[in-house]
Amino acid sequence: MSTPVPGIETVGVVGAGQMGNGIAHVFAVAGYDVVMSDLEQERLDAAMEVIDGNLQRQVNRDLLSVEDKAAALSRIKGTTDLADFGSCDLVIEAAAEVEALKKDIFRALVEVVPERAILASNTSSISITRLATVTDRPERFMGIHFMNPVPVMKLVELIRGIATDEPTFEIMRAVVASLGKEAAIAEDFPAFIVNRILVPMINEAVYTLYEGVGTVESIDKAMKLGTNHPMGPLELADFIGLDTCLAIMNVLHDGLADTKYRPCPLLVKYVEAGWLGRKTGRGFYDYRGEEPVPTR
Ligand code: NAD
């Protein structure tokens, strides 16, 4: 494992959900001090439990020593108070995919972080240029889009806003390398590269279900065995979170003004029902029993 990038010692992570806890995990393993925030202590406790379990999995696979696991855990501090980000050199926002919420977080962050700190968002689709405008440092603002599950997936998309300066970009490129990951550089257009291609495919799978072309089982089986995808699109949608998938379709639809990106009404219905996938126990599959059971 490489060493932390000089000048970046403490990394703040806002939001301790499935992405935030993964981001905290990989930075702590790479030797950075991490401050991770969420709205409630319970969510932080749950995140620490997930991180502990995921680190243990790496120990079991001989990817990490028991000592390194303990050291990584000791480097992560949970907080419900953004004021604790006062010593961060870099802050990565990983709260829900809602532009107004992200902007509120960045407005609050600039009040507490040092002037030198780089601000970044793990947004899946929202304009980096637009998010940067609410800060006092659009030149030190970037998109850093991790893939789920963060400790496992190699790729990180790096997105410059219109004002991002070269030193910031180079530091973030070095940060990605220090995590043992590969960067793909994307321009700041709705959903960047990965989700511009992936999420419309998921939306099309939901239309295929909505129109009765296939069942949940047959659609996922067709795509797994027919195209060699490791997960079917509906299984993957549940894994990503159906609220996140819908939010990305809305960003594509609004941002590119093309009706080919209209979200499937069935996806909207699942989100309205609170059936958001794995994280809520039910989506296109029901995860509350021993085995996932299709919900249609
Ligand atoms: P999630 O719902 O699992 O987690 C979001 C967390 O943010 C929650 O714990 C919530 O309590 C917390 N939060 C909300 N407002 C907050 C605030 N003001 N301060 C601190 N914490 C706050 O969502 P997720 O799947 O982790 O997604 C987070 C971000 O990462 C989104 O922008 C999403 O688009 C992006 N992303 C998601 C995936 C994926 O596969 N799920 C992949 C890449 C990027």
Side-chain angles (χ1 to χ4, degrees):
M1 190 65 62
S2 40
T3 49
V5 172
I8 307 287
E9 283 161 24
T10 304
V11 177
V13 181
V14 183
Q18 47 183 358
M19 294 308 291
N21 75 54
I23 294 167
H25 172 140
V26 296
F27 274 96
V29 168
Y32 295 91
D33 288 325
V34 177
V35 186
M36 175 176 72
S37 81
D38 209 301
L39 299 172
E40 291 155 17
Q41 187 58 41
E42 277 163 28
R43 299 196 195 184
L44 291 167
D45 294 343
M48 286 309 292
E49 229 171 89
V50 171
I51 294 172
D52 193 327
N54 288 342
L55 286 167
Q56 188 56 43
R57 219 180 287 180
Q58 291 180 311
V59 170
N60 297 344
R61 288 194 198 138
D62 286 332
L63 298 170
L64 200 69
S65 71
V66 174
E67 295 75 28
D68 287 347
K69 176 194 165 189
L73 277 177
S74 74
R75 282 189 206 109
I76 305 174
K77 181 179 169 233
T79 183
T80 53
D81 186 359
L82 274 194
D84 287 335
F85 283 65
S87 63
C88 289
D89 305 298
L90 163 66
V91 178
I92 300 174
E93 169 281 317
E97 190 71 351
V98 178
E99 184 164 336
L101 169 74
K102 290 186 186 298
K103 284 181 169 166
D104 282 347
I105 290 171
F106 284 115
R107 280 191 197 100
L109 273 173
V110 292
E111 300 295 325
V112 296
V113 298
E115 221 179 300
R116 65 174 187 279
I118 294 175
L119 297 177
S121 176
N122 182 51
T123 177
S124 302
S125 60
I126 298 168
S127 164
I128 299 304
T129 301
R130 264 202 324 267
L131 291 177
T133 58
V134 303
T135 74
D136 55 357
R137 63 197 79 189
E139 67 287 354
R140 288 196 302 290
F141 194 101
M142 287 271 306
I144 180 167
H145 180 221
F146 288 87
M147 307 292 130
N148 185 15
V150 183
V152 176
M153 300 293 281
K154 268 264 166 220
L155 186 79
V156 178
E157 269 181 300
L158 280 180
I159 307 107
R160 273 179 282 216
I162 200 166
T164 308
D165 65 21
E166 209 48 33
T168 301
F169 177 66
E170 287 308 329
I171 290 171
M172 293 305 284
R173 225 211 262 260
V175 164
V176 170
S178 76
L179 303 174
K181 298 198 183 288
E182 293 276 337
I185 317 302
E187 291 300 320
D188 188 20
F189 286 98
F192 320 125
I193 296 173
V194 173
N195 286 323
R196 168 82 177 257
I197 298 169
L198 176 68
V199 181
M201 185 200 73
I202 286 174
N203 192 51
E204 200 58 33
V206 184
Y207 267 112
T208 311
L209 178 67
Y210 178 62
E211 290 170 8
V213 182
T215 61
V216 167
E217 245 168 351
S218 59
I219 292 165
D220 276 350
K221 184 177 186 181
M223 292 304 286
K224 270 196 289 196
L225 302 184
T227 64
N228 253 359
H229 287 194
M231 289 172 111
L234 299 172
E235 198 185 352
L236 180 58
D238 278 357
F239 189 69
I240 293 169
L242 303 191
D243 52 338
T244 299
C245 292
L246 177 60
I248 296 169
M249 285 311 297
N250 281 327
V251 168
L252 283 166
H253 196 220
D254 297 345
L256 298 169
D258 189 330
T259 53
K260 76 178 177 180
Y261 296 115
R262 68 199 187 282
C264 178
L266 187 61
L267 178 61
V268 176
K269 192 189 263 191
Y270 268 73
V271 173
E272 285 174 349
W275 292 15
L276 307 183
R278 276 183 184 271
K279 65 183 171 188
T280 56
R282 208 166 4 173
F284 292 112
Y285 293 85
D286 187 335
Y287 299 92
R288 293 169 301 168
E290 292 271 293
E291 291 287 318
V293 180
T295 52
R296 296 180 87 77

